[in-house]
Amino acid sequence: MLELSFNDPEKLVMVAHALSTRSRVDILQLLISQKLNVIEIAALLKLPVSTVANNIKVLEAAKLINTELLPASRGAMKVCSRNYDDIHFALNIEKAVFKEEFRVYEVEVPIGHYSDCEVSPTCGMANSEGMLIREDEPASFYHPKHINAQIIWFRKGYIEYLLPLEVPSGSRIESLELSMEMCSEAPNYDNNWPSDISVWINGVEIGMWTSPGDFGDRRGKLNPAWWYDWSTQYGLLKTWRVDNEKTTLDMVKVSAVNLDLLNLMQSHKVRVRIGIKPGAVHQGGINLFGRQFGDHEQNIVMKVNFIPTGDDK
């Protein structure tokens, strides 16, 4: 049995995150009495292999499953097994010791509310009613109607947002999280189309994620009826987290960038840039999904965990 409590908050957050999506719970259920490789899991759950592989990484990071490489007819295959049959969350506050009071500041920004951009074709944007601009015209990204976008795509460049940071002066920030649904950008779609997508906060690159593809093998759960079957359909929900030591992506360390490098308390805003670096190996573009497209009903979400000063508690 795995025991979790407030006495080990990092582990508690990691496991809770690993259990936060249905697909990862379904994977654990499949592994109750058998070992399976990634391809077998993908076939049983009717999900892309790339999606299952990403979920496996999250479950590994939380130590909920164990994986081993075994010989296969072509190279090696990753075989998965469960580490625990029971997980116990001990959330009795009377038994937990808090030396300081943590608070959370959260803001959700619609994907169309960007403050700056520099994009190259293929590019475009749409909402639940139809296309907002003519495709492959970068100048149209500066039209005021961009605030209504629910899906945005571009092959090269970046898009930048200014997010408010309404944290009391003198507070100590413990972590900052950013989550969003995204994938690569290929003509129409291509499930095997890698793209090196970077995220910057206040001008500092916190990490890069290689999206495995532009997913279109099934319709996105939230897509409006008018959206084309032959186009991009959904992405993967990715979460970056910066703390006092490192940056993680879905709880896996991706860089040594920490909060000190971001200078968050020097301003009441946070500048977030999402883009493809000119020197990236895989320049496969970006699709960014809002609440009405893809699989996840959310926009760009920022969460800041902080400890207020004594006067503000």
Side-chain angles (χ1 to χ4, degrees), residues 114 116-123 138 141-142 152-161 182-183 185 195-200 205 272-280 282-288:
Y114 54 83
D116 193 15
C117 67
E118 191 69 48
V119 304
S120 298
T122 50
C123 60
F141 268 64
Y142 299 102
I152 296 173
W153 63 93
F154 55 93
R155 178 62 60 83
K156 295 180 180 180
Y158 66 86
I159 192 165
E160 189 170 277
Y161 299 83
M182 58 172 57
C183 70
E185 161 54 19
S195 184
D196 295 336
I197 300 174
S198 292
V199 173
W200 293 260
E205 183 181 3
V272 175
R273 177 176 290 192
I274 306 158
I276 309 294
K277 293 190 297 185
H282 303 107
Q283 297 196 35
I286 297 173
N287 269 276
L288 192 59

Side-chain angles (χ1 to χ4, degrees), residues 77-94:
M77 62 179 177
K78 180 177 280 191
V79 178
C80 310
S81 59
R82 279 193 358 183
N83 281 333
Y84 304 99
D85 290 329
D86 297 288
I87 300 174
H88 181 221
F89 291 85
L91 303 181
N92 188 341
I93 296 179
E94 292 180 358

Side-chain angles (χ1 to χ4, degrees), residues 41-308:
I41 294 172
L44 289 168
L45 295 181
K46 297 180 180 180
L47 292 173
V49 172
S50 57
T51 299
V52 171
N54 278 294
N55 284 319
I56 290 296
K57 288 181 182 179
V58 176
L59 291 168
E60 278 185 288
K63 295 184 170 35
L64 296 183
I65 67 170
N66 181 55
T67 60
E68 53 183 332
L69 290 176
L70 297 179
S73 57
R74 295 184 180 180
M77 62 179 177
K78 180 177 280 191
V79 178
C80 310
S81 59
R82 279 193 358 183
N83 281 333
Y84 304 99
D85 290 329
D86 297 288
I87 300 174
H88 181 221
F89 291 85
L91 303 181
N92 188 341
I93 296 179
E94 292 180 358
K95 296 181 180 179
V97 177
F98 292 93
K99 294 182 179 180
E100 296 172 286
E101 180 185 354
F102 284 84
R103 294 188 185 177
V104 179
Y105 171 74
E106 179 175 340
V107 60
E108 183 172 0
V109 178
I111 65 168
H113 287 219
Y114 54 83
S115 58
D116 193 15
C117 67
E118 191 69 48
V119 304
S120 298
T122 50
C123 60
M125 64 181 71
N127 65 12
S128 61
E129 298 177 355
M131 301 293 293
L132 285 174
I133 61 175
R134 278 194 258 178
E135 288 190 80
D136 300 337
E137 290 191 4
S140 297
F141 268 64
Y142 299 102
H143 195 286
K145 66 177 69 174
H146 71 72
I147 65 171
N148 298 314
Q150 288 293 319
I151 183 170
I152 296 173
W153 63 93
F154 55 93
R155 178 62 60 83
K156 295 180 180 180
Y158 66 86
I159 192 165
E160 189 170 277
Y161 299 83
L162 288 177
L163 282 67
L165 183 61
E166 298 173 312
V167 172
S169 177
S171 298
R172 189 172 81 239
I173 295 178
E174 294 295 310
S175 66
L176 179 148
E177 295 181 9
L178 282 172
S179 66
M180 63 200 81
E181 183 178 354
M182 58 172 57
C183 70
S184 310
E185 161 54 19
N188 297 324
Y189 75 87
D190 188 338
N191 283 11
N192 297 301
W193 186 270
S195 184
D196 295 336
I197 300 174
S198 292
V199 173
W200 293 260
I201 296 179
N202 291 345
V204 179
E205 183 181 3
I206 62 171
M208 184 191 72
W209 170 56
T210 300
S211 168
D214 180 351
F215 306 118
D217 53 299
R218 61 167 174 81
R219 285 192 65 84
K221 297 176 182 177
L222 303 170
N223 294 350
W226 74 267
W227 186 245
Y228 316 112
D229 288 337
W230 58 85
S231 295
T232 302
Q233 297 296 324
Y234 63 94
L236 300 176
L237 187 63
K238 310 303 293 182
T239 301
W240 281 262
R241 186 177 190 270
V242 187
D243 60 24
N244 291 305
E245 298 178 354
K246 63 188 179 303
T247 297
T248 60
L249 174 58
D250 295 335
M251 294 300 179
V252 177
K253 182 179 178 180
V254 291
S255 79
V257 174
N258 58 31
L259 290 170
D260 286 342
L261 298 175
L262 304 185
N263 297 316
L264 294 174
M265 293 303 291
Q266 293 185 8
S267 175
H268 293 295
K269 62 181 181 295
V270 179
R271 187 157 47 95
V272 175
R273 177 176 290 192
I274 306 158
I276 309 294
K277 293 190 297 185
V281 175
H282 303 107
Q283 297 196 35
I286 297 173
N287 269 276
L288 192 59
F289 299 80
R291 279 184 165 272
Q292 298 173 346
F293 273 81
D295 281 353
H296 301 275
E297 194 175 356
Q298 71 161 68
N299 295 294
I300 297 173
V301 176
M302 180 180 75
K303 294 181 182 179
V304 177
N305 296 289
F306 68 96
I307 300 172

